[in-house]
């Protein structure tokens, strides 16, 4: 089993899927037998990007140890977000832009984590460092990831490095950054074909915050009422998830991509404390999150500090 598998987190988003494809390609150019795989279903936004630039989704795997002794993680590092049998393989590399938590290896590895808005921004640098040209279609994938993770360069996670990379990659991909970016985000925000069960798992990540077990799920929408009009049913599903998974909090966030605000619907014993963490109260079991769009920079740190 000499092949190395490259993959991102469960419930994959655009950065996870495209970064796996892009980094596997770069490793192949450097003589490594690498294959991109995925740990979950592809969402509408990612499907839009893959079709636009002529890619199939990486193949779906349930476990990685039966296929490879060595793996590379992109866009994540926390074990509860990774493959179920992640501790049965050797992690040789991590390329990420998130906090580092619940991560330990027996052997040295190449670990690259930078405080930028997107994994693709780091990968763009790595192509240059290795003197490998970025093909137009792979540039399109990286651009898509940056647009997704930074909400078209408007998220507080966005850095000047992300803006520079996005501008450069859009030119290589031959697309208009604003036009393509908005079309992709709108494709991802079209929830008409999604059930509430789908929305709960579409982009959900599990976190350990002190002694608390927390899942934060986030969906983008053009109109938050597309989701919140079904709140009664949503709350039943959230409470079911809390009970079945032994959660202290399921924090479900709907983000308005046009106005850059969010509304959260929390469930679990920490629901009230989650509202207090943002300096507000629960009203109709909703938390108004004005100006909040980033799980990584605005939601996870706030809740982590509150629950320590």
């Amino acid at each position: 089993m000499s092949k190395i598998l490259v993959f991102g987190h469960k419930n994959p988003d655009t950065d996870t899927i495209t970064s796996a494809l892009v980094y596997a390609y770069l490793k192949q150019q450097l003589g490594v037998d690498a294959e991109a795989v995925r740990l979950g279903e592809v969402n509408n936004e990612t499907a839009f990007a893959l079709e636009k630039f002529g890619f199939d989704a990486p193949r779906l795997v349930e476990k990685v140890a039966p296929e490879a002794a060595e793996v590379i993680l992109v866009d994540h590092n926390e074990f509860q977000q990774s493959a179920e049998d992640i501790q049965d393989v050797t992690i040789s590399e991590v390329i990420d832009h998130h906090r580092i938590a619940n991560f330990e290896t027996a052997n040295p590895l190449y670990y690259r984590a930078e405080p930028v808005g997107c994994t693709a921004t780091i990968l763009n640098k790595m192509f240059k460092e290795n003197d490998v040209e970025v093909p137009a279609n792979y540039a399109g994938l990286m651009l898509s990831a940056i647009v997704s993770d930074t909400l078209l360069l408007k998220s507080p996670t966005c850095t000047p490095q992300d803006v520079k990379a996005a501008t450069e990659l859009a030119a290589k991909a031959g697309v208009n950054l604003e036009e393509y970016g908005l079309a992709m985000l709108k494709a991802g925000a079209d929830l008409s074909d999604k059930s509430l069960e789908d929305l709960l798992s579409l982009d959900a990540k599990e976190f350990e915050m002190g002694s608390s077990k927390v899942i934060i799920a986030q969906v983008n929408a053009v109109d938050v009422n597309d989701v919140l009009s079904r709140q009664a049913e949503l709350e039943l599903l959230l409470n079911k998830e809390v009970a079945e998974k032994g959660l202290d909090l399921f924090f479900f966030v709907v983000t308005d991509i046009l106005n850059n605000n969010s509304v959260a619907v929390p469930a679990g014993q920490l629901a009230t404390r989650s509202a207090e963490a943002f300096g507000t109260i629960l009203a109709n079991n909703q938390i108004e999150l004005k100006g909040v769009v980033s799980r990584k920079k605005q939601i996870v740190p706030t809740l982590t500090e509150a629950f320590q």
Side-chain angles (χ1 to χ4, degrees):
M1 295 191 295
S2 60
K3 179 180 289 186
I4 297 178
L5 297 183
V6 185
F7 53 89
H9 55 74
K10 297 174 183 175
N11 302 317
D13 57 13
T14 300
D15 190 20
T16 268
I17 294 292
T18 59
S19 289
L21 287 166
V22 169
Y23 198 45
Y25 171 81
L26 177 58
K27 298 301 289 186
Q28 290 162 10
Q29 303 313 299
L30 299 175
V32 177
D33 184 11
E35 180 191 3
V37 295
R38 59 185 168 92
L39 302 181
E41 297 304 319
V42 171
N43 65 36
N44 289 350
E45 179 189 274
T46 308
F48 181 91
L50 293 174
E51 181 177 359
K52 170 69 177 179
F53 296 106
F55 287 87
D56 292 325
R59 67 185 177 91
L60 177 67
V61 299
E62 300 255 339
K63 295 185 177 181
V64 293
E67 300 194 38
E70 193 172 329
V71 302
I72 295 172
L73 308 186
V74 293
D75 196 36
H76 77 299
N77 66 81
E78 298 187 47
F79 281 6
Q80 73 272 16
Q81 298 175 8
S82 199
E84 291 180 9
D85 58 345
I86 190 64
Q87 300 198 54
D88 297 331
V89 293
T90 297
I91 302 170
S92 60
E93 297 184 42
V94 176
I95 314 297
D96 193 18
H97 68 124
H98 295 94
R99 72 174 193 174
I100 301 170
N102 308 315
F103 182 87
E104 183 177 331
T105 62
N107 300 302
L109 75 161
Y110 179 82
Y111 196 113
R112 184 159 181 169
E114 298 187 22
V116 292
C118 184
T119 309
T121 300
I122 306 170
L123 295 179
N124 189 48
K125 294 186 209 176
M126 296 179 74
F127 272 85
K128 296 175 183 178
E129 292 163 2
N130 287 281
D131 294 321
V132 176
E133 185 64 31
V134 180
N137 56 344
Y138 283 93
L141 290 184
M142 284 193 278
L143 170 65
S144 301
I146 296 172
V147 166
S148 176
D149 269 13
T150 66
L151 280 181
L152 196 49
L153 310 180
K154 294 175 182 175
S155 168
T157 60
C158 187
T159 69
Q161 294 181 60
D162 299 298
V163 176
K164 180 180 179 182
T167 303
E168 175 185 311
L169 292 165
K172 287 185 178 181
V175 297
N176 178 284
L177 173 56
E178 291 290 329
E179 290 178 3
Y180 169 71
L182 187 57
M184 189 195 78
L185 289 178
K186 285 185 175 179
D190 180 4
L191 306 177
S192 59
D193 65 337
K194 301 296 182 186
S195 67
L196 287 176
E197 289 88 349
D198 291 334
L199 297 184
L200 259 61
S201 62
L202 196 63
D203 186 7
K205 289 184 178 180
E206 183 180 320
F207 300 91
E208 290 183 12
M209 299 179 177
S211 60
S212 301
K213 185 178 180 181
V214 177
I215 286 181
I216 304 173
Q218 184 175 24
V219 296
N220 293 337
V222 174
D223 184 351
V224 296
N225 287 321
D226 289 346
V227 179
L228 297 180
S229 62
R230 298 179 280 172
Q231 184 172 338
E233 182 185 351
L234 173 63
E235 289 184 30
L236 289 174
L237 292 172
L238 289 172
N239 287 322
K240 181 181 177 183
E241 288 285 302
V242 167
E244 291 181 349
K245 297 181 178 178
L247 303 176
D248 297 287
L249 176 69
F250 196 125
F251 200 75
F252 182 80
V253 182
V254 187
T255 297
D256 182 334
I257 65 170
L258 298 182
N259 297 309
N260 294 326
N261 295 312
S262 297
V263 177
V265 179
Q269 63 180 352
L270 295 178
T272 300
R273 283 182 61 189
S274 70
E276 293 169 350
F278 290 94
T280 186
I281 61 171
L282 276 176
N284 300 319
N285 210 36
Q286 295 180 6
I287 305 172
E288 295 286 338
L289 300 172
K290 297 292 185 182
V292 173
V293 296
S294 171
R295 174 171 50 196
K296 181 183 75 170
K297 193 164 187 177
Q298 294 172 298
I299 299 174
V300 172
T302 300
L303 293 179
T304 300
E305 182 178 358
F307 301 154
Q308 291 290 1

